[in-house]
Every structure is written in structure tokens, then in C-alpha cells.
Amino acid sequence: MKHGRYPFIVGFLVPGLAIYAVFVLSPFVQAFHYSLTDWTGISPEFSYVGLDNFRRLLDDSQFLAAVRNNALLLVVVPLATVGLALVFAFLLNVGGGASGAGVRGIRGSGFYKLVFFMPQVLAIPVIAVIWSVILEPTGNGLVNSALGWIGIGPLGFLADPDLALWCVMWVLVWGSVGFYLVLFNAAISSVPREIFEAAVIDGAGRLATFLRVTLPLLWDTVQTAWVYLAILALDVYALVAVMTAGPGGPDNATQVISLQIAQNGFTFGRAGYASAMGVVLFFLTLVIAVFMLRITRRERVEF
Amino acid sequence: MSSTYSPSRRALFRQAGLASLAVAGGSSFLSACATSGGGDGDGERAERTDDNPFGVQADAPLSVVIFNGGYGDDYAKYHESLYGEVFPDAEISHKAITDIRQQMQPLFNAGNPPDVLDNAGAEAMPISTLADTGQLADLTELFEAEAIGFDGMTVQETLNPVAIESGVYDDKPLVLNYALQVYGLWYDRALFDERGWEPAETWEDFLALCEEIKGAGMAPLAHQGKYPYYIEQLLWDLAVKHGGPEVAYAIDSLEPGAWENESMKAAAAAIAELKSKGYMLEGTEGLDHIQSQTRWNEHKAAFITCGSWLENEQKEVAPEGFETTLAPTPLLPGAALPFQTGRVEAAEAFIVPAQAANVPGGMEFMRQMLSKEGAAEFTKLTAAPTVVNGATEGLELTPGAASAIALIDAGGDDNWNYYYNKWYTPLEPKIGSAVAELAAGRIDADEFCSRAQAAADETANDPNTVKRTRSA
């Protein structure tokens, strides 16, 4: 068996690697290449401009606004999503406290899981349309008519530069919590019940159990979730393009890098320049992923 | 409908989906459309005759790609049948699509574009870039050829001057903008008759009318706030009618201080006044075109800013008895232009790619479009006027189309147009942002003018932007 092993393994690897190289790696390489040119995207001709595109990025007020907004998303979205998902997962599994039958979740936890997961079934543009209707700026909007009952508003929400980005973040968090809830739920389920029961017997309250037991045991999963959410926060194109005015929102309040890439690449005929933005985004994503995985590395808890 | 500025939701979704693929790390999607060389396009020509001024080879196939937007594509099928009558041996391929950019970009890059392309809609390719990179065939021949159905006139002589002007890049006519659009304030004639209201000619009267409308429990004005382009039309109308077309020439030419012109300032102050006096529909700055126009149809607002595609776009929604009618924008004190004028734009950009396999065929197709019969059929099918003069004579028109054509005729040589948005595409969203802030009452007229000026200066100082100028 042994002498036939390598051809066997290679036989399986090569087609996959080839497809990966053609459809994933080569576009990356090409993007790097085009970022050094003045390619318009609609003509086969272009010339090389060196790092000029990257220099121009530094003076591009819209791109800088996009970077600022992405940075805010990068901080708020993972924090809120992971935080909420962890708390909910904890409540659904352990939150019910101890009883004669051991540790259990709060009542109706199966139902809650289903409800939280619901947004995952919907496509992002559908979510965007639903929320832009809910947040409609006139008194007819669902939220505004509710606010009307208590004498507030109507508020502009997506049309107001002070609120628009927060509304987008809310929708992003709302749409993601369910997935991470299920992820953390699975992770908690794999932790032996005895550990939680021991904690309860030792007199730990809910908060202490959460901070001292649950969180450390789930650290690997949380870390992974964090990286995924960071990447999600760097690409909110569909939500922003469908939900907010502009595009780019009122006064560029929801301008994001992906929107700038699409606009420059397709609408403005500056594919080379857009590729430069893509390269910046690539390194930004890379740095964040490496940073999150390295810096937050902890000793593994074995169980 | 045909407007670049009313992107359909479907189109947005598709774009959204594609771009999120592109983004996850790097612009892989962009470069997926790899570049490669192209061939020569012109090909051989047959002998030129009176009936065949461009020397089309009778059996050369012709490929036509039409933007399938508010105008549909029935008119193009009719034009193809006209072409087929002249060249029965030519095989004509007809394609009607909405995602022009996604489908055409790879063909242009590969040097294999169609012979005629209707480059319109929310996903049109940037026309100035196409022009600057030599992708468009020179249409001089077309405009100098004899027009069909006009007794010895050249094509150029049969067209509204804006048709030629709007298609010229670097002194060469490269684009045929086919449909004529006019902008102004739209209202329901039936409602106004019932209430005894009349669209005002002066700003003072307009404000008084707004007060009366507001008193009747209706919002005087709605606009499609999510796309600031619409309220920008009112701003332009007020400014140019006040200061004359030179206001537009200066802005298009990126002259220093053009946006801080006294007329532009007065126009911006007028918009701010409408907002501050509560004359705008509540929340209109956050509504898209569908939401705002539907509310206008429901009589929640008396006027709405829009172009002449409005009637056709709303025909499914407009209630029975609703008479869509266009009123010219009122005049600010000391206006230079008469009341009965407006921005007349030639839109729906038809091009013959320089690399096309059948360039003469493409031009012949355009000549058929511009024939008296071809143009009349377009208006019959779409209720929209074309750039061909007099082609609508004797047609029975809907109230909206009739009032739009009446304004075009009444304004005559005083009608005007601006081009900065097509010439410098990256500048447009920046101006749009500033206009939206102004109309929402978050910045005042001075701040608007200085912001718009700063954005224009940025474009003027950008060495990568091709500059264009215009004058009287």
C-alpha cells in the first residue's frame, strides 16, 4: 500500500489546487498587477503608473471616509455580535441554573434558537429591503409609528448622517447573532455538563460561571468568530448599497471600502485605481486576521 | 425610467451580489475580466450609394444590444425591421439586457463588441471613459448623411441641437443620444383644477402657493431624496434660469468659483427656504423614487421634481383620473431666462463601438432610428419624444408627454443642459451629497456652495481627469 500512497494523494490534490489557483490565486495576482496601472476596465489598453494609485488613495476624501467607517464597523460589529451571541448561547444552555435534573437552559430555549437563526435564511439584500422599510423616515415607517405613540420623531434613520451607520450596524448584528449563537451553542454542548454542575455546586453564580468557566472553554470558537466578523465588517456592500441613500449614505455616512471599489471600478471607469483599493483591503484583512489569531492566543483549556 | 438615476432594485441586488464576491479580499472580481487585445473593426465596405451612404455590405450580420429599461425594446425591434427591409440578407441579432456593464465590459476588453449598443440604465458603462480610450466610432458620417423621410435634409438638420452637442467628445460626435428628456415640477392637473391652484411663475407666487397647499393639509413638494439627483434638477433650473446658461458653462468647464456664482447661491438659498418653511414632504430626504413618486400619486404632495420619464414610470401606480403634467420651474427675482424653459437633455446613449465588426451597419441602423418613421414609432411605443424634430406631429399624446413636448417647444433656443455629471463621473456623487445635505436642511446655501466648489476644485486639480470646456 505504501508505495502507491503519493500518486494517490497527489491525484486528489492537483485538480483542487489547480481550480484554486485559477479562480482564487490568479485573480489576486492580477489585482496586484492592475493596481500598478491606469487601466480603465473597458479598454484593453493601459500603461504602468507605479505606486501612483496608492499615493492617490491618501488624498481621496471619499476613500478615507470609507476607511474610517470600516474601522468603526470593525470595532463595534464583532464586539456586539460576539457579546450578544455568547450571552444568549449561555442562557440557552446553562442559564436556567441547576435543578434536580442538573444544569439546563432557560425555558423555551429551542424556540429561541429557531427565532434567532431565522435571519440566516434570508439573503442579505432581502434583509436590507425589509429593514429599509421598517426604518422608513416618514411617520409611516414601523419604527417611526411606534416612536410616534410615545411622542418621538419621526427620525430620519437611514437618511440621517448621525444615525445611518448605526442603523446599518444594527442590521448587521441582528442578521449575524443567530449564526454565532448556534456556533457557540454547539461549542457549549461539547463541554461536559459536569464542569458546569461542578461550578454550580461550588457556589458560582451565573456571571461567575459565564466569565470563569464558559468563556475560557469557548475561547477558540470566539477567536474564529471574531475573525469572520471582522471580515464581514470590512464588506458591508450589499447592506449599504441597498439600504442607505446615495449610495454611500447621507453625507458619506455609510461609505465603505467595498462600495468605493465598486464605484471606481465600474461606474467611474477606474479599474486600476479600484484594484489598488482592493489590494489595500486585502492587506487590511490579512493583518487583522493574523493580529486576532496571534495576539489573542491563550493557553488551551483541555477537557 | 431610462434615467441613470433610478436604479431598479433588481439591478442593485445583482451588483451587490457580485461586488460582495469581489470584496472579501482584493478586487479579484475586477480582474476576472482579463484584458486581451482586440481586432480592427471597420472591415471592408461596399460601394457607397444614395441608399447606402456608409457602404454597408448587404450580407454582413448586425448585432444590436438594447438596454431593456423603461423604454422596453419593442422600438428597437421595429428599427431592426426597417434595417431588414433595406438589407434583407443581413442576419440581425437582437439582445435586450439590463446589466449593460457586466455583459459588455468583457466584450469591449476582448475587442469584440456589438455593432450598436444602447449604453443606458443604472449600469451603463462610463461614456466619457469609452470616448477617451478611443472605443467609439466617429459618427460625423452619420450626421452628414441624408435623413430618411425628410426630403433631402441631412440627419443633423433634422435633429434637436442638444442631440449633437451632448454627444461630442474632443470635437468629434461619438454618441447618439436618442431620447429627449425635460425636467421641471410635476403636478396633477386634475387636482389643481379642482382646488383652483395654478403653477406659479415667480418665486414669490410659488411660496404663496406652497403656503396655500400646506394650509390644505398637503405637502407642497416631494423629492426622491435617496437619489439627490432629482432635487439637484430644481437647484440647476433655478440657478440657470436666474443667471443664464453661462452658469452651466462655467460649472461644466470647472472654472474656479463656478459653484459660488451668485445665481447658484440664490438657487441654493431658495431650496433651503423650502425646507425651512416646511414645504417639503416630511421624510422625503430618505425616500427612494418609488416611495416618493407613489406618495405624490396619492396626493400626499402637490409637486415632485422629475424628468419626463415620470408619467411612463408611474402609469401602473397612478390612480384613475390623475393627469401627470409638467410645470416649468418658477423664476427667482431678476431671472435672465423666460419662465417657459427647462433643462432639455438628450439621453439613451447609442454608440457604435470603434472595434465593432460592422461599423457601417451600426451607423445605418442609427440612420433608420433617426428616420421620420423610426422616431415616430419610438414615441408611439414609449410616450417619450426623440431628438428628431417634428417626428411627433399628428401623434396623439398622453398629458405628461404633451406637456413635456410643449415645454421643449416653448423653450426653444433658451432650453439648456449641463454635462458635468457625464464628463466627470467621480464628481457627481460628491455634488449629490452636498445637494442632499442642503435639501435636508443640514447645511445652508453658503456652506453648500463652498462644499460643491471644493469638490469641483479637487476634480480640476486631478491630473488623471480629462478636462473639457464649453462656452456659448
Side-chain angles (χ1 to χ4, degrees), chain B residues 128-129 132 170 254 423-424 459 462-469:
Chain B
S128 54
T129 311
D132 294 338
D170 280 333
L254 296 176
W423 287 358
Y424 322 107
T459 306
D462 177 11
N464 297 295
T465 301
V466 179
K467 310 297 185 308
R468 306 173 205 277
T469 51

Side-chain angles (χ1 to χ4, degrees), chain B residues 120-457:
Chain B
E123 292 174 69
M125 289 190 284
I127 197 86
S128 54
T129 311
L130 283 172
D132 294 338
T133 52
Q135 305 260 30
L136 305 180
D138 188 337
L139 300 179
T140 307
E141 258 186 292
L142 167 70
F143 294 123
E144 285 174 356
E146 194 178 316
I148 304 170
F150 286 94
D151 301 322
M153 286 164 91
T154 65
V155 169
Q156 176 157 2
E157 284 164 352
T158 66
L159 301 185
N160 186 308
V162 75
I164 311 283
E165 182 194 52
S166 65
V168 170
Y169 288 85
D170 280 333
D171 296 331
K172 276 182 288 190
L174 301 176
V175 182
L176 168 63
N177 287 303
Y178 187 56
L180 220 47
Q181 292 171 350
V182 56
Y183 296 81
L185 293 171
W186 297 81
Y187 64 102
D188 175 12
R189 184 74 245 179
L191 171 80
F192 274 52
D193 283 347
E194 184 196 313
R195 303 282 179 112
W197 296 336
E198 196 57 42
E201 293 202 13
T202 67
W203 190 248
E204 201 189 339
D205 290 351
F206 184 70
L207 291 178
L209 175 63
C210 285
E211 195 56 45
E212 196 182 336
I213 294 170
K214 196 180 166 195
M218 195 185 292
L221 178 71
H223 67 97
Q224 302 80 336
K226 215 171 155 183
Y227 307 105
Y229 172 78
Y230 293 87
I231 188 71
E232 192 184 331
Q233 300 313 309
L234 180 59
L235 175 78
W236 272 98
D237 239 345
L238 289 166
V240 175
K241 283 164 101 165
H242 181 266
E246 289 75 19
V247 176
Y249 298 158
I251 287 176
D252 286 343
S253 308
L254 296 176
E255 278 172 24
W259 284 95
E260 285 162 329
N261 176 293
E262 163 205 357
S263 299
M264 188 48 85
K265 223 164 230 178
I271 302 256
E273 188 179 7
L274 290 180
K275 175 67 186 174
S276 68
K277 291 197 164 150
Y279 294 158
M280 291 204 191
L281 177 70
E282 184 188 85
T284 196
E285 61 264 24
L287 299 180
D288 68 14
H289 59 294
I290 299 167
Q291 294 168 324
S292 57
Q293 289 163 194
T294 305
R295 281 182 167 75
W296 168 73
N297 272 140
E298 290 167 351
H299 287 167
K300 300 242 167 67
F303 289 107
I304 194 164
T305 52
C306 203
S308 46
W309 62 83
L310 178 69
E311 182 182 43
N312 213 28
E313 190 169 58
Q314 295 300 106
K315 73 178 172 214
E316 307 292 327
V317 189
E320 189 86 15
F322 198 95
E323 286 176 49
T324 304
T325 311
L326 173 62
T329 303
L331 300 174
L332 291 172
L337 293 180
F339 172 60
Q340 292 273 358
T341 56
R343 175 182 177 216
V344 173
E345 185 192 24
E348 208 71 12
F350 279 81
I351 54 176
V352 175
Q355 306 272 336
N358 189 3
V359 169
M363 290 201 205
E364 181 60 32
F365 181 81
M366 285 182 169
R367 199 166 75 106
Q368 296 293 343
M369 289 173 67
L370 295 171
S371 68
K372 195 160 202 171
E373 196 185 348
E377 189 69 18
F378 178 86
T379 305
K380 249 188 254 172
L381 289 169
T382 63
T386 64
V387 293
V388 180
N389 290 330
T392 54
E393 275 165 28
L395 292 183
E396 202 174 304
L397 298 167
T398 50
S403 60
I405 291 171
L407 178 54
I408 293 171
D409 291 344
D413 291 342
D414 284 328
N415 289 329
W416 55 275
N417 193 11
Y418 68 80
Y419 296 108
Y420 93 89
N421 59 333
K422 293 215 169 69
W423 287 358
Y424 322 107
T425 24
L427 177 56
E428 201 205 0
K430 294 180 187 167
I431 300 292
S433 251
V435 173
E437 291 305 285
L438 173 74
R442 287 190 288 258
I443 59 176
D444 64 14
D446 287 339
E447 218 174 325
F448 165 76
C449 291
S450 56
R451 262 183 69 164
Q453 190 55 48
D457 290 343

Side-chain angles (χ1 to χ4, degrees), chain A residues 117-245:
Chain A
F117 196 72
M118 281 279 263
Q120 284 298 314
V121 185
L122 301 173
I124 295 266
V126 176
I127 291 176
V129 170
I130 291 175
W131 276 101
S132 55
V133 173
I134 294 176
L135 295 173
E136 209 213 77
T138 67
N140 294 3
L142 193 66
V143 178
N144 270 325
S145 50
L147 287 176
W149 282 93
I150 52 171
I152 302 176
L155 300 176
F157 293 116
L158 296 165
D160 185 332
D162 296 331
L163 297 176
L165 190 62
W166 296 99
C167 292
V168 171
M169 286 197 264
W170 157 253
V171 175
L172 207 56
V173 170
W174 173 87
S176 323
V177 162
F179 177 81
Y180 293 95
L181 164 67
V182 171
L183 183 75
F184 295 145
N185 185 55
I188 293 180
S189 309
S190 71
V191 174
R193 294 265 117 180
E194 295 81 39
I195 296 182
F196 292 115
E197 280 163 9
V200 172
I201 289 165
D202 288 345
R206 277 182 199 170
L207 187 65
T209 317
F210 177 75
L211 290 177
R212 301 282 176 85
V213 183
T214 317
L215 198 56
L217 287 175
L218 296 187
W219 194 249
D220 279 356
T221 320
V222 170
Q223 224 178 9
T224 314
W226 206 278
V227 173
Y228 274 115
L229 281 163
I231 292 171
L232 182 74
L234 285 177
D235 168 28
V236 284
Y237 180 91
L239 277 188
V240 168
V242 179
M243 279 172 68
T244 61

